[in-house]
Amino acid sequence: MKKKVIILLLIIIPFFQCSKKYELPPELIKPAGPLLKIEQLKKRLNSINSYFRFSEGDTSVLLTVTMDETSGNIYKQFYAADEDGNAIQLRLLNSGGIYQGDRFRLLLGGLTLICSNNMVSIDSVSIENNIVKVSSGHIIQPKSISMEDLFTATSFRDVDNLQSQFVRLTDVEFAAESRGKSFANVIARTSAEHKLGPCFGKTIGISYRDWE
């Protein structure tokens, strides 16, 4: 009888020892304040070279990813637009975890809004601490614009500013000096710069990077 009891204990004790409790990840708390829009964020900047730091517990903004890192042309950053169609660049602390078509709520507390050389971005965004995904798989359609539209608005505060927008340029072609050349070569670790424009008129420079 004693042998049976001993055997039973030897079986039960390891069973309980293997039962572990894992810590749950910290729960993101949504701020109680109203949702802001990108236009409202930009009004907090004083000049073309300034910054604004959001206080802890500040409100948030609802955005949809328009361009992510998977193309390999950008790294540790992505672009997103609000419901009004305004867009902004977001710089990540770590790469990955957010994709085109993701709709999310960006918790602004502790983040910094920066305007450098007229380019507006939100810096040091943490996927774990600042982003609450709402849904995924939204279809993103580019805005069809002309070369003239690109030069219409020059200030980030202009209503028709196209900064950080997902666009499709119409009636353009590669300039003669850019034809027949390759894009960025990931294997050879080379990037490329090309010129694009209409048959006659202004041209713009476009860049291809080798982040992947």
Side-chain angles (χ1 to χ4, degrees):
M1 185 69 180
K2 291 182 180 180
K3 291 183 180 179
K4 290 183 180 180
V5 173
I6 293 172
I7 292 172
L8 181 62
L9 289 175
L10 288 175
I11 295 173
I12 293 176
I13 290 174
F15 176 81
F16 285 106
Q17 286 179 341
C18 293
S19 178
K20 296 181 180 180
K21 292 183 179 180
Y22 297 95
E23 293 184 2
L24 295 174
E27 183 180 355
L28 288 176
I29 300 174
K30 296 182 180 180
L35 287 171
L36 294 177
K37 298 294 182 67
I38 291 176
E39 184 179 357
Q40 293 173 291
L41 299 185
K42 290 181 177 180
K43 288 181 179 179
R44 301 194 181 190
L45 296 168
N46 297 323
S47 64
I48 60 173
N49 287 296
S50 61
Y51 71 93
F52 177 87
R53 184 171 178 80
F54 297 98
S55 61
E56 292 294 338
D58 209 332
T59 186
S60 60
V61 56
L62 184 66
L63 301 170
T64 302
V65 180
T66 56
M67 181 181 179
D68 59 31
E69 302 174 283
T70 55
S71 67
N73 202 41
I74 56 176
Y75 177 63
K76 291 177 70 173
Q77 59 182 282
F78 66 97
Y79 295 85
D82 61 18
E83 293 179 339
D84 291 342
N86 294 313
I88 196 167
Q89 180 192 61
L90 297 100
R91 296 182 174 274
L92 295 168
L93 285 174
N94 298 294
S95 178
I98 192 80
Y99 307 99
Q100 186 182 59
D102 286 349
R103 182 166 293 168
F104 65 96
R105 189 165 181 171
L106 179 68
L107 309 184
L108 296 169
L111 295 178
T112 303
L113 180 69
I114 298 173
C115 182
S116 178
N117 294 324
N118 210 34
M119 181 66 188
V120 179
S121 63
I122 298 177
D123 194 42
S124 301
V125 176
S126 168
I127 298 294
E128 295 80 12
N129 300 325
N130 298 113
I131 289 180
V132 179
K133 285 192 181 183
V134 177
S135 55
S136 301
H138 296 274
I139 304 300
I140 308 300
Q141 296 293 344
K143 295 181 178 180
S144 293
I145 64 170
S146 66
M147 284 289 292
E148 292 182 1
D149 295 328
L150 282 179
F151 299 102
T152 299
T154 56
S155 172
F156 66 86
R157 289 194 180 92
D158 292 343
V159 176
D160 53 352
N161 187 273
L162 294 168
Q163 185 180 107
S164 299
Q165 294 281 358
F166 181 41
V167 300
R168 178 193 291 116
L169 278 173
T170 59
D171 300 322
V172 293
E173 62 182 7
F174 284 103
E177 61 268 31
S178 295
R179 295 174 191 169
K181 295 182 179 180
S182 64
F183 296 108
N185 188 321
V186 178
I187 298 175
R189 305 295 295 173
T190 59
S191 302
E193 303 281 343
H194 296 297
K195 289 185 178 180
L196 193 69
C199 293
F200 302 98
K202 295 180 179 179
T203 61
I204 60 170
I206 54 176
S207 303
Y208 299 89
R209 301 302 179 196
D210 61 337
W211 297 118
E212 284 191 336

